[in-house]
Amino acid sequence: MKYVGSKARIAKDIVPIIQKCIDDNGIELYVEPFVGGAILSPRLSVNLVLHTTRIVI
């Protein structure tokens, strides 16, 4: 499937799902996996946010 368009368009649909997970589980740290238009952290209510461009496991 080819997706044409801004990721910001789908961010509005993802935010309620992530926020419910944060609220239901008492999550205090959100690690932002998205960049650009899909960034969710400004739209979420959470105590701590970690922005990263590279995660090494």
Side-chain angles (χ1 to χ4, degrees), residues 13-27:
D13 298 318
I14 298 171
V15 168
I17 297 167
I18 301 294
Q19 188 64 60
K20 182 173 180 355
C21 182
I22 289 169
D23 296 341
D24 290 353
N25 295 290
I27 294 171

Side-chain angles (χ1 to χ4, degrees), residues 1-17:
M1 180 174 123
K2 185 176 180 181
Y3 176 75
V4 180
S6 171
K7 291 180 298 226
R9 212 172 8 164
I10 64 169
K12 66 179 174 57
D13 298 318
I14 298 171
V15 168
I17 297 167

Side-chain angles (χ1 to χ4, degrees), residues 27-57:
I27 294 171
E28 295 186 9
L29 171 65
Y30 174 74
V31 179
E32 180 65 71
F34 301 107
V35 296
I39 195 166
L40 302 180
S41 57
R43 301 173 180 134
L44 295 171
S45 176
V46 65
N47 290 337
L48 300 168
V49 176
L50 175 62
H51 292 269
T52 183
T53 57
R54 183 175 172 187
I55 297 175
V56 179
I57 297 175

